[in-house]
């Protein structure tokens, strides 16, 4: 076994059947990684102890870390810790979503060295977990607090997700800087979104006005999707594209304005799930107009 590698404490992640066992397995891995890192880098030992090793559960560790990340002189870390911990412990779906997001980062991003690295350092992951709590507050009609938390998330992580927006699980916000998600947007499960992506509206009219992103979608860096349009399950949006109309399932839209690879009448379709495979460029060989 290579030096520094963590040996699985139980069968590999894909072999774990129970969601409860899966959650426990991931937390065990995080603690093992933190112990390894504390031993190899003593300068981080105190930090790793306070954020991970001193806590009995993932939800307590995550609540502590988010509270310290998002606190300010007037929004105290103790208040935020209680807020996050109450949400994570009273709503099991939040913990399950956090574990699914940790897995998404670890499996889809080759730069993600470990689960603990994602938990501590991936601002896209942290912003998404904090948003879920803000969304819960919004649903409970605690909207001033939801908006205050939303503001802190945007300030600290440079990720602006309206607390009313609905987000599934298994989400990867890769790099995450500059991501904007509007009030009535919906993001499905197992979606991957890169930096500087906007899911926005088209004007000042109210109502349902933001994009609906299906399961397994991949949205490339700098893409802009505007209006109440549907991006079908397993679709792929190329980097820098501007999408203003629906994109069918399993197709690829690229350009400004975006057009379907293969043409509108018979667009090329792929079989994989790009939100999981992270395949950004396979369409190029099929796109006859592509010139370099």
């Amino acid at each position: 076994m290579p030096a520094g590698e963590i040996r699985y404490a139980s069968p590999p992640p894909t072999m774990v059947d129970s969601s409860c066992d899966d959650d426990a397995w991931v937390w065990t891995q995080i603690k093992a990684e933190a112990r390894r890192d504390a031993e190899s880098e003593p300068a981080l030992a105190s930090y790793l102890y306070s954020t991970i090793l001193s806590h009995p559960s993932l939800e307590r560790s995550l609540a502590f870390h988010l509270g310290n990340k998002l606190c300010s002189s007037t929004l105290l870390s103790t208040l935020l810790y209680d807020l996050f911990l109450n949400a994570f412990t009273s709503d099991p779906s939040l913990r399950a979503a956090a574990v699914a997001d940790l897995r998404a980062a670890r499996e889809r991003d080759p730069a993600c060295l470990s689960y603990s690295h994602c938990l501590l350092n991936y601002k896209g992951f942290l912003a998404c977990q904090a948003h879920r709590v803000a969304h819960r507050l919004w649903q409970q009609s605690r909207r001033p607090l939801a908006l205050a938390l939303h503001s802190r998330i945007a300030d600290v992580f440079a990720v602006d997700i309206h607390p009313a927006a609905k987000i599934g699980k298994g989400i990867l916000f890769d790099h995450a800087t500059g991501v904007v998600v509007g009030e009535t947007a919906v993001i499905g499960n197992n979606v991957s979104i890169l930096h500087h992506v906007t899911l926005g509206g088209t004007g000042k009219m109210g109502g349902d006005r933001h994009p609906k992103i299906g399961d397994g979608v991949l949205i490339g860096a700098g893409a802009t999707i505007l209006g109440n349009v549907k991006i079908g399950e397993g679709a792929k949006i190329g980097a820098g594209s501007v999408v203003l109309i629906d994109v069918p399932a399993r197709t690829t839209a690229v350009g400004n304005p975006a057009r379907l690879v293969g043409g509108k009448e018979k667009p090329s379709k792929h079989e994989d799930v790009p939100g999981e495979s992270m395949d950004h460029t396979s369409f190029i060989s099929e796109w006859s107009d592509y010139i370099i």
Side-chain angles (χ1 to χ4, degrees):
M1 183 171 66
E5 183 176 325
I6 299 296
R7 186 184 298 277
Y8 287 135
S10 64
T14 55
M15 297 174 64
V16 179
D17 297 324
S18 165
S19 61
C20 292
D21 289 345
D22 189 36
D23 294 359
W25 184 90
V26 169
W27 176 237
T28 298
Q29 286 300 115
I30 289 171
K31 293 179 73 174
E33 293 162 359
R35 290 190 192 97
R36 173 202 62 191
D37 293 344
E39 291 173 1
S40 64
E41 186 52 79
L44 290 176
S46 177
Y47 170 64
L48 291 168
Y49 179 80
S50 65
T51 53
I52 293 176
L53 295 174
S54 66
H55 300 283
S57 64
L58 175 59
E59 52 262 45
R60 285 185 178 274
S61 173
L62 185 56
F64 177 86
H65 192 41
L66 286 173
N68 280 284
K69 282 280 189 182
L70 295 172
C71 67
S72 68
S73 59
T74 54
L75 199 59
L76 301 183
S77 61
T78 51
L79 183 151
L80 290 176
Y81 172 77
D82 289 341
L83 177 68
F84 287 124
L85 184 59
N86 176 266
F88 293 144
T89 55
S90 60
D91 188 347
S93 69
L94 295 182
R95 177 189 169 111
V99 170
D101 293 352
L102 284 166
R103 285 203 174 281
R106 187 73 178 93
E107 294 168 6
R108 299 177 208 165
D109 183 2
C112 185
L113 301 176
S114 63
Y115 291 106
S116 60
H117 174 47
C118 178
L119 171 65
L120 296 176
N121 303 320
Y122 269 42
K123 67 179 185 177
F125 168 79
L126 294 171
C128 192
Q129 310 322 306
H131 162 76
R132 290 197 175 102
V133 175
H135 179 67
R136 186 170 184 270
L137 293 169
W138 187 269
Q139 291 181 312
Q140 294 172 340
S141 297
R142 300 175 69 184
R143 296 188 174 184
L145 183 54
L147 291 169
L149 185 55
H150 159 252
S151 178
R152 288 302 297 156
I153 296 166
D155 288 346
V156 173
F157 299 127
V159 176
D160 188 342
I161 308 174
H162 192 282
K166 299 175 182 178
I167 297 181
K169 63 182 181 179
I171 303 300
L172 173 62
F173 286 118
D174 196 0
H175 302 290
T177 300
V179 167
V180 177
V181 180
E183 178 182 8
T184 60
V186 177
I187 299 174
N189 299 320
N190 302 315
V191 172
S192 293
I193 296 175
L194 276 80
H195 48 289
H196 293 292
V197 164
T198 296
L199 306 181
T202 57
K204 64 179 183 179
M205 298 298 292
D208 194 356
R209 61 196 185 281
H210 295 102
K212 310 298 181 284
I213 310 301
D215 294 348
V217 168
L218 172 64
I219 305 179
T224 299
I225 306 174
L226 300 178
N228 186 16
V229 300
K230 294 181 180 179
I231 308 301
E233 178 180 344
K236 186 187 310 184
I237 309 299
S241 299
V242 177
V243 179
L244 303 174
I245 59 175
D246 293 354
V247 175
R250 305 282 176 175
T251 64
T252 301
V254 292
N256 181 4
R259 53 194 173 123
L260 297 177
V261 172
K264 182 179 179 180
E265 300 302 323
K266 293 184 178 181
S268 301
K269 294 201 172 186
H270 45 259
E271 296 301 323
D272 70 328
V273 180
E276 298 177 6
S277 70
M278 303 297 288
D279 176 12
H280 291 265
T281 58
S282 63
F283 68 87
I284 289 176
S285 63
E286 304 172 16
W287 191 15
S288 60
D289 291 348
Y290 188 84
I291 300 173
I292 193 168

